[in-house]
């Protein structure tokens, strides 16, 4: 039986760079779509995400993060490898941030192996386009994420 895999874009496209997860998801669909992967756009409505994660063996969440990296830098990590301090606040404008998703998957004993492709945001002010820095890096970021998908799933 083949594994069920999902690539999930998160983010609010009306908050500039916060929408990077959704924009990269669209770019993957247009340029690298694979037959055995479900591509899901959860936008900023991530509360239902925990329920849907249970349907998959592997899920890659693509999201804008605020982690003190250089703007546009990509960091891919397993959700259970993430370290959160008690002072961590929400790092996105989603219903759930990564810390909440981690806590809920642990509490609900979700067996899905969840990875995060986090892209350091530069500007999350109101607006419907990415900052010029992230716009310039979009093709490279999409290629790096597709490479990770290929290495992990094939």
């Amino acid at each position: 039986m083949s594994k069920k895999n999902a690539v999930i874009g998160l983010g609010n496209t009306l908050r500039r760079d916060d929408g990077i997860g959704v924009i990269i998801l669209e770019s993957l669909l247009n340029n690298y779509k694979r037959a055995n992967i479900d591509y899901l756009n959860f936008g900023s409505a991530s509360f239902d995400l925990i329920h849907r994660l249970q349907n998959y063996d592997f899920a890659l969440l693509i999201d804008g993060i605020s982690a003190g990296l250089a703007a546009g830098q990509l960091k891919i990590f397993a959700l259970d490898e993430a370290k959160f301090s008690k002072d961590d606040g929400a790092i996105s404008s989603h219903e759930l941030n990564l810390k909440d998703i981690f806590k809920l998957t642990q509490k609900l004993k979700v067996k899905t192996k969840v990875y995060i492709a986090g892209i350091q945001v530069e500007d999350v002010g109101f607006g419907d386009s990415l900052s010029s820095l992230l716009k310039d890096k979009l093709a490279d970021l999409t290629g790096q994420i597709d490479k990770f998908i290929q290495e992990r799933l094939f």
Side-chain angles (χ1 to χ4, degrees), residues 18-68:
D18 189 60
I20 189 73
V22 172
I23 292 168
I24 288 179
L25 178 76
E26 292 170 359
S27 184
L28 287 168
L29 277 167
N30 291 330
N31 301 301
Y32 300 97
K33 186 175 180 182
R34 299 178 192 282
N36 63 340
I37 297 175
D38 289 342
Y39 295 86
L40 307 170
N41 179 350
F42 270 82
S44 60
S46 54
F47 193 74
D48 190 41
L49 176 63
I50 302 299
H51 173 71
R52 293 288 298 272
L53 280 176
Q54 297 179 70
N55 299 332
Y56 296 97
D57 299 305
F58 169 93
L60 176 65
L61 308 180
I62 307 168
D63 197 7
I65 61 172
S66 178

Side-chain angles (χ1 to χ4, degrees), residues 2-4 10 17 21 29 31 40 61 65 69 75 90 99 109 111 116 118 120 125-126 130-131 138-139 144-145:
S2 66
K3 289 184 169 186
K4 293 182 69 177
L10 297 171
D17 293 348
L29 277 167
N31 301 301
L40 307 170
L61 308 180
I65 61 172
L69 305 172
K75 183 168 179 72
K99 184 177 181 180
K109 299 182 175 150
K111 303 288 185 212
I116 308 294
Q120 177 66 46
F126 292 106
L130 295 173
S131 65
L138 183 61
Q144 288 181 59
I145 291 171

Side-chain angles (χ1 to χ4, degrees), residues 123-135:
D123 179 358
V124 291
F126 292 106
D128 61 359
S129 64
L130 295 173
S131 65
S132 59
L133 192 145
L134 263 63
K135 198 179 296 183

